Amino acid sequence: MQYKSQAVAKPYFIAAIGLFVAQILFGLVMGLQYVVGDFLFPAIPFNVARMVHTNALIVWLLMGFMGSAYYLVPEEAETELHSPKLALALFWIFLVAAALTVLGYLMVPYATLAKITGNDLLPTMGREFLEQPTITKVGIVVVALGFLFNLTMTFLKGRKTAISSILLLGLWGLAIMFLFSFYNPDNLVKDKYYWWFVVHLWVEGVWELILGAILAFVLIKVTGVDREVIEKWLYVIITLTLISGILGTGHHFYWIGAPEYWQWIGSVFSALEPIPFFAMTVFAFNIVNKRRREHPNKAAVLWALGTSVMAFLGAGVWGFLHTLAPVNYYTHGTQITAAHGHMAFYGAYVMVVLTMISYAMPVIRGRAANSERSQVLEMWSFWLMTIAMVFITLFLTAAGILQVYLQRFSDTPQPFMVVQEKIALFYWLREFTGLVFLLGLVLYIASFFVKGEAPATSGKLAGATR
């Protein structure tokens, strides 16, 4: 490491992977409950499994973003982190709050949890992805403010780069958009309208800035390509992201009672959203092809390239498949939506966090890269998880197409539960591929414990990482 304080990223990365495992385990439980309705009932009802699955996803990605930022910003700013002690204190606060919240979901009925955590004083609970108790949301805001203060002070006292500037813009945007989770109007249309200000403007707005900054940082380190070249690409990508992503929020307003002009705005700008992801794919492969050296961490290079491709497929292609209003009229809320969500989250955000962990953890442990044996195992984990996610997406897409036809498009539409029984085969196939994904995740974790000599690092490599 160039700066000792970068080591505070390590506990964030470890906790992120631990929560990732929890997310996948509860996803498998929920997947099985699709076809075996009373599995683990009443101990873990479907709604509780779903809350843990989706909330663990959000929390572990936030942990990953925070760890990535603590590693990235000091190196970009060429100075030590403002306060490593604050970073570690906030880590434990965040981790304990997340653990207590999950235990609350599992051990207390949700209505009771809302009552004992102050939801009557400031109602914020009961909305998808934002099920966290009000007190947990307040804790998240406190942690976020401390985290952003720490990073901003580090940024201000050191070198300013495009990568660190864009990363901080994305992180501040993430925190600001989360404040809308505290606004819970009685009117359902207004509720959904502002709810998307959190959910959409996170994943199709400010999170994409974080994604672009992390990916650009890793590519600079592993390719040695001039910073100016990568930064020009980065500016183009984030401009396209913000232009398409902000107004693209309109594709969520089609059927909630908002004015019908949102059908045009949402359709047009959502149709543009694949462009920044395609640009990201071209960017990543272009930079790797122009590399000035072979970095010893081949696994990190593979993750970086995989991120761009899978983000384009999941967020770009599968997003476009059902984003136009005339199509979304039939597909809204079906398994096609689930197919898009799974591949988009995995490709855009899960993979970029794993990319950063793959690159940074060996450096934190005192080596440029893990051993060859470790990297072979890690690359096996890449292919198992990625191929499994591709098949999960394909199975859910097939289920969604059949669901749309049987339930909404045919001359004799069938009831929801009747259709669910007819597409159960795809749910079983999804469950099987979920187990393959879990195996890949286990191999990813195991790769960090495989011993062996680290690949040799040349002086040219060390000097080119600045």
Side-chain angles (χ1 to χ4, degrees):
M1 288 183 301
Q2 294 186 33
Y3 302 95
K4 289 183 180 179
S5 56
Q6 288 177 285
V8 300
K10 185 176 180 178
Y12 283 90
F13 289 152
I14 293 171
I17 295 300
L19 289 166
F20 187 19
V21 173
Q23 182 217 343
I24 300 307
L25 290 175
F26 277 91
L28 289 170
V29 167
M30 189 173 67
L32 195 54
Q33 288 175 338
Y34 261 84
V35 284
V36 183
D38 58 354
F39 179 68
L40 292 183
F41 186 84
I44 305 178
F46 179 84
N47 68 306
V48 172
R50 190 178 190 278
M51 277 195 295
V52 176
H53 179 64
T54 55
N55 282 231
L57 168 67
I58 294 168
V59 173
W60 90 256
L61 287 177
L62 293 179
M63 279 280 191
F65 290 160
M66 293 170 77
S68 299
Y70 280 133
Y71 184 90
L72 184 157
V73 171
E75 195 159 321
E76 287 291 294
E78 296 185 337
T79 183
E80 294 287 357
L81 186 66
H82 176 70
S83 176
K85 290 182 179 179
L86 176 61
L88 289 173
L90 293 174
F91 164 76
W92 286 111
I93 293 170
F94 194 20
L95 185 64
V96 170
L100 290 176
T101 300
V102 170
L103 288 175
Y105 291 155
L106 294 171
M107 300 176 67
V108 182
Y110 192 68
T112 305
L113 184 65
K115 187 175 182 179
I116 65 178
T117 56
N119 192 64
D120 291 341
L121 300 175
L122 179 61
T124 70
M125 296 174 67
R127 290 182 289 175
E128 187 181 10
F129 300 119
L130 302 176
E131 294 96 347
Q132 307 88 14
T134 301
I135 192 171
T136 301
K137 289 188 178 76
V138 173
I140 290 172
V141 171
V142 171
V143 169
L145 288 175
F147 164 68
L148 289 169
F149 167 78
N150 210 353
L151 285 184
T152 303
M153 294 300 292
T154 307
F155 173 81
L156 291 175
K157 72 177 181 178
R159 179 182 67 159
K160 281 75 174 174
T161 68
I163 289 174
S164 57
S165 300
I166 290 168
L167 178 66
L168 276 171
L169 179 63
L171 291 169
W172 272 103
L174 185 158
I176 291 168
M177 289 301 112
F178 183 71
L179 296 178
F180 284 101
S181 68
F182 289 92
Y183 181 51
N184 192 3
D186 294 331
N187 183 285
L188 186 60
V189 174
K190 290 178 67 177
D191 171 58
K192 284 296 182 183
Y193 188 86
Y194 289 105
W195 179 77
W196 284 114
F197 278 24
V198 183
V199 179
H200 175 96
L201 292 178
W202 264 13
V203 301
E204 295 174 71
V206 293
W207 282 28
E208 291 186 25
L209 306 189
I210 300 168
L211 161 65
I214 294 173
L215 189 60
F217 174 81
V218 173
L219 287 173
I220 285 177
K221 300 302 176 183
V222 300
T223 65
V225 171
D226 288 341
R227 177 180 290 272
E228 291 76 12
V229 175
I230 290 179
E231 288 180 347
K232 286 177 183 176
W233 273 100
L234 188 56
Y235 282 129
V236 171
I237 290 169
I238 65 159
T239 301
L240 292 170
T241 294
L242 293 177
I243 290 172
S244 62
I246 293 175
L247 286 174
T249 311
H251 67 232
H252 300 298
F253 301 159
Y254 291 158
W255 324 120
I256 67 170
E260 64 182 50
Y261 56 72
W262 281 112
Q263 293 184 21
W264 279 101
I265 296 174
S267 293
V268 170
F269 284 92
S270 294
L272 299 176
E273 286 191 59
I275 296 176
F277 287 102
F278 179 72
M280 190 180 300
T281 304
V282 175
F283 155 66
F285 279 87
N286 187 44
I287 296 304
V288 170
N289 286 335
K290 288 182 177 180
R291 63 184 179 270
R292 296 179 175 179
R293 64 177 183 275
E294 291 290 336
H295 195 278
N297 195 336
K298 295 181 176 62
V301 177
L302 179 62
W303 280 108
L305 291 175
T307 298
S308 63
V309 174
M310 293 297 288
F312 170 64
L313 290 175
V317 176
W318 256 262
F320 178 75
L321 285 178
H322 65 135
T323 196
L324 302 179
V327 178
N328 191 264
Y329 180 79
Y330 295 99
T331 64
H332 189 83
T334 66
Q335 293 301 322
I336 292 176
T337 305
H340 159 60
H342 278 77
M343 186 180 276
F345 261 104
Y346 175 73
Y349 303 118
V350 171
M351 292 184 79
V352 80
V353 170
L354 296 181
T355 299
M356 190 63 172
I357 294 174
S358 179
Y359 169 76
M361 278 295 278
V363 181
I364 291 173
R365 298 165 74 185
R367 53 180 64 187
N370 289 327
S371 67
E372 293 290 344
R373 289 176 57 202
S374 173
Q375 289 193 56
V376 168
L377 194 61
E378 186 179 344
M379 287 188 277
W380 268 102
S381 78
F382 168 90
W383 288 112
L384 282 173
M385 282 194 279
T386 303
I387 292 173
M389 184 53 67
V390 168
F391 276 97
I392 287 171
T393 303
L394 292 175
F395 291 144
L396 288 175
T397 302
I401 292 171
L402 189 57
Q403 180 184 6
V404 168
Y405 176 75
L406 294 176
Q407 188 177 318
R408 301 179 176 179
F409 198 75
S410 69
D411 294 332
T412 55
Q414 299 178 29
F416 174 81
M417 289 307 297
V418 172
V419 173
Q420 291 298 299
E421 290 182 3
K422 292 186 176 181
I423 61 178
L425 172 63
F426 296 108
Y427 294 148
W428 281 111
L429 293 170
R430 188 259 306 268
E431 186 74 3
F432 172 75
T433 46
L435 291 171
V436 176
F437 188 95
L438 178 62
L439 174 61
L441 178 54
V442 170
L443 292 183
Y444 183 83
I445 297 169
S447 70
F448 286 91
F449 297 94
V450 174
K451 296 182 179 180
E453 292 187 10
T457 305
S458 67
K460 181 181 178 182
L461 171 65
T465 58
R466 302 274 309 164

